[in-house]
Amino acid sequence: MTTTDLFTADQPSLREPADYLKRYYGYDRFRPMQEDIVRSVLSGRDTLVLMPTGGGKSVCFQIPALMMPGVCVVVSPLIALMKDQVEALHMNGISAAYYNSTQSGKEQRDIEDNCVKGKIKLLYVSPEKLLTESFFVFLKRITISLFAIDEAHCISSWGHDFRPEYTQLHVLKEHFPTVPTVALTATADKLTRNDIAQRLGMNDPAVFIASFNRPNLSLKVLPGTNRLPQIIKLLQQKPDTSGIIYCLSRKSTESLAAKLQEKGFKAAFYHAKMDPDDRAKTQEAFLRDDVRIMCATIAFGMGIDKSNVRWVIHYNMPKNIESFYQEIGRAGRDGAEAQTVLFYSFADVATYKDMLSESAPANLGLQLAKLERMQQYADAHTCRRQILLSYFSEDLPEPCGNCDVCRDPRVTFDGTILAQKALSAIVRTGERVPMNLLIDILRGSRSQAVLQGGYDQVKTYGAGRDLRFEEWRNYIHQLINIGVIEIAYDQHYALRRGILADQVLFSGRKIDLVRPDDAPKPVVEKVKTKTETQRDDLFERLRALRKKLADEQNVPPYVIFTDTTLEDMARQRPTTPDALRNVSGVGERKLQLFGKQFLDEIVGYVRGRVNAGEKPKGGTQLVTLNLYNQGMTIDEIAAERQLTAGSIAGHLVQLAKAGYDIDIASLVSPFERTEIERAIAVVGMEEGRLKPLFDYLGGRYDYSKLTLVAGLLQL
Ligand code: ADP
Ligand code: ZN
């Protein structure tokens, strides 16, 4: 067998959906619901799939498309993405095409021909194109296995991304009543869900609602003070990874990017007012890992399919939980660990409130309520993921263990008296003083401002002497967050009574506070996570190789292999094509295309480690292999490595058994081989015990020859 054959070994026949998952995508297992969805679609039933971003919707229609006769027509609004999606399918060895108006007449005719001949399994098309008369004529000529409607929420005017063209899609059912439809979306709410089924004219659809939990996203909230230094610390802990920093304004995307560039980071900015060319270029650079840090407004992300976004930072708090969840959802689509950080400050809340009251939308009340829920998330002293999921009506029975609250549980104490002291000082100063002055008054300071205002005369002057300034500040922040105190942004930031104030002062309402030491800390500590340990030097080398190959092929790096796949590879360190097959995400096509390069990289790495005196598993054989590949003989290798020739021969036999292209037979002459084989027939051989054989042959052949011939009998 030659090396190339090893990369294209005969495959068992494909029967079950799981066989397709393994061969084309390189995954061993379906994720929850995927298989049920595939089977539902295969049974010919209309199917509605609600799954979060990164949940794995694609295989839900791509595997049925592979298994059913005919072409699966995929309707997607994201024209800009189609090319990458089709490219990714090709990389997996799946024949696919997209159809759009930038193509020449000839290109389109070729695609049509290939569809008619059954050479294409998936055809991507925008709704506008799909609904043209000429396209319909074409559709009537081919066998359609399935319609897959991606981003199906675009059909609903309830959804946040309504596209009028989508509402016409019901004609598909009218013209092709027997072709099953699968609609997929990451939007969960009930209204949209019912709307989708109805407007597509789906026939008693099977509905699958996957959990919206994304356990690989860590959640963290940091105080919105000194954001830049905090961000820089975060970025320094994540060198060479891609991420997005969401900012509220276009201006802040630009200034933040500039500041980060000054500090030597590869940052760029993105917002809706940029020139379309620049925008496309910036986006492309990010997809290709040329730009790592994207400072962007929320305009960035819709349709960003990049799977290796490792972190999302919110420079400002989003205005509701839906937006927040969608934005952090762009991280970690490959399923590997990803970090999300939200900077939270009251000033942001105030800005939104101002914006809302100025524009006075019809649903002002609703929007304010949503803002409040967002704020509650940021203030929470209980598991943040439970709060998020409960917002989407999903129950997470146990705290998640992957948010800052779970990692660093808060201890609360009865802070009612503290709250009363602060409120009473606020009331007695006529709700006119800002925070710092109020704290001075509470602590009995003799500062100029205190004395000038005559505040040393108020009854609560000095009532809070026992606490440090910083402690007071922290408690007042907490009291603001829970609504006991309010900041009058329009009155020079004076503190005044919040909605809960009267209850605290007069009705004995109890207030729980968290000790400052337990509150979120601005200092970013280095926590060694599982991921970081997995991302060793080998991972970095594999990533560099991926980038090189991606640039050569002109595709985004994650299309070659995802971060999860590289992590798995770095962990398993496969050195043979078969072992590489066991890495999650290595399907047959990618094995053929890239297997050799990645194996060489791993072997080279292991060799370096061995030379540096380490003993990684399988390493010594690989060093021998490397020297052998340089053309050295067994004796030369033995001399170089100061090992016996017998050991080296043993390595070569093991390597050949593992599938490496080593012609053991060429290392012994036919005469030697025959004679040794005869001797083996007489005295037999035992693994690792060749002495009887050596003696029987009167020492005429050294151990390396014996090992080689013995090995040949086992190959
Ligand atoms: P969605 O369209 O729902 O956002 P994708 O279909 O793009 O998600 O899948 C997200 C990532 O998960 C992709 O990298 C995909 O290859 C991977 N993936 C999908 N199914 C599986 C599976 N069964 N096992 C491992 N990874 C999977
Ligand atoms: Zn948690």
Side-chain angles (χ1 to χ4, degrees), residues 219 382-386 399-407:
L219 305 168
T382 57
C383 172
R384 295 195 202 277
R385 199 172 317 265
Q386 285 180 320
C400 75
N402 194 18
C403 72
D404 53 346
V405 182
C406 283
R407 279 168 192 263

Side-chain angles (χ1 to χ4, degrees), residues 263-532:
K263 300 277 176 195
F265 292 101
K266 280 191 195 159
F269 63 86
Y270 184 104
H271 55 67
K273 280 282 151 64
M274 282 161 74
D275 163 271
D277 269 358
D278 287 348
R279 222 163 50 195
K281 263 190 220 139
T282 310
Q283 175 165 332
E284 186 71 10
F286 185 65
L287 293 181
R288 302 269 155 120
D289 290 352
D290 290 329
V291 159
R292 296 287 191 178
I293 300 165
M294 190 60 85
C295 306
T297 62
I298 53 173
F300 186 71
M302 174 63 189
I304 295 286
D305 211 7
K306 184 179 172 67
S307 77
N308 62 336
V309 174
R310 289 272 69 86
W311 47 267
V312 166
I313 295 175
H314 277 91
Y315 195 86
N316 304 97
M317 189 180 84
K319 53 180 180 290
N320 56 47
I321 289 185
E322 288 97 326
S323 315
F324 175 65
Y325 203 60
Q326 197 176 25
E327 285 149 25
I328 61 171
R330 300 202 171 112
R333 290 183 62 155
D334 51 13
E337 301 283 322
Q339 191 184 1
T340 78
V341 173
L342 165 68
F343 284 108
Y344 168 50
S345 81
F346 321 122
D348 287 348
V349 179
T351 311
Y352 282 127
K353 284 192 175 155
D354 286 352
M355 276 162 41
L356 278 173
S357 47
E358 265 165 39
S359 62
N363 57 357
L364 178 66
L366 178 68
Q367 298 217 31
L368 285 172
K370 288 189 166 193
L371 179 61
E372 212 144 273
R373 292 290 293 269
M374 186 65 228
Q375 202 182 352
Q376 278 165 10
Y377 168 86
D379 280 335
H381 296 308
T382 57
C383 172
R384 295 195 202 277
R385 199 172 317 265
Q386 285 180 320
I387 298 177
L388 280 183
L389 289 174
S390 82
Y391 185 82
F392 295 112
S393 317
E394 204 179 304
D395 180 41
L396 186 67
E398 295 292 322
C400 75
N402 194 18
C403 72
D404 53 346
V405 182
C406 283
R407 279 168 192 263
D408 192 4
R410 320 291 199 240
V411 183
T412 58
F413 68 97
D414 182 351
T416 315
I417 306 252
L418 271 175
Q420 286 169 343
K421 280 184 188 171
L423 277 174
S424 139
I426 287 172
V427 175
R428 283 168 202 275
T429 51
E431 302 191 308
R432 271 182 286 115
V433 305
M435 187 179 323
N436 290 358
L437 183 51
L438 188 85
I439 298 175
D440 278 348
I441 297 168
L442 281 164
R443 298 188 64 247
S445 148
R446 304 204 59 79
S447 72
Q448 215 183 353
V450 171
L451 299 179
Q452 263 174 9
Y455 296 123
D456 53 341
Q457 304 303 315
V458 303
K459 202 168 163 216
T460 28
Y461 177 74
R465 248 180 244 288
D466 49 331
L467 295 181
R468 284 178 289 118
F469 188 91
E470 274 310 314
E471 288 174 302
W472 263 118
R473 190 150 79 161
N474 188 292
Y475 292 137
I476 291 177
H477 278 175
Q478 292 184 45
L479 292 168
I480 292 170
N481 290 346
I482 47 189
V484 173
I485 297 176
E486 237 174 55
I487 301 182
Y489 290 95
D490 50 349
Q491 304 284 324
H492 306 289
Y493 297 84
L495 297 185
R496 62 184 179 207
R497 285 173 291 174
I499 39 167
L500 295 185
D502 288 346
Q503 294 179 34
V504 174
L505 283 172
F506 310 119
S507 325
R509 171 155 186 154
K510 236 186 104 213
I511 295 297
D512 279 338
L513 292 175
V514 175
R515 297 228 181 271
D517 287 345
D518 291 324
K521 303 173 192 70
V523 248
V524 185
E525 292 140 35
K526 177 96 182 140
V527 196
K528 256 231 175 301
T529 65
K530 202 170 107 232
T531 332
E532 278 162 331

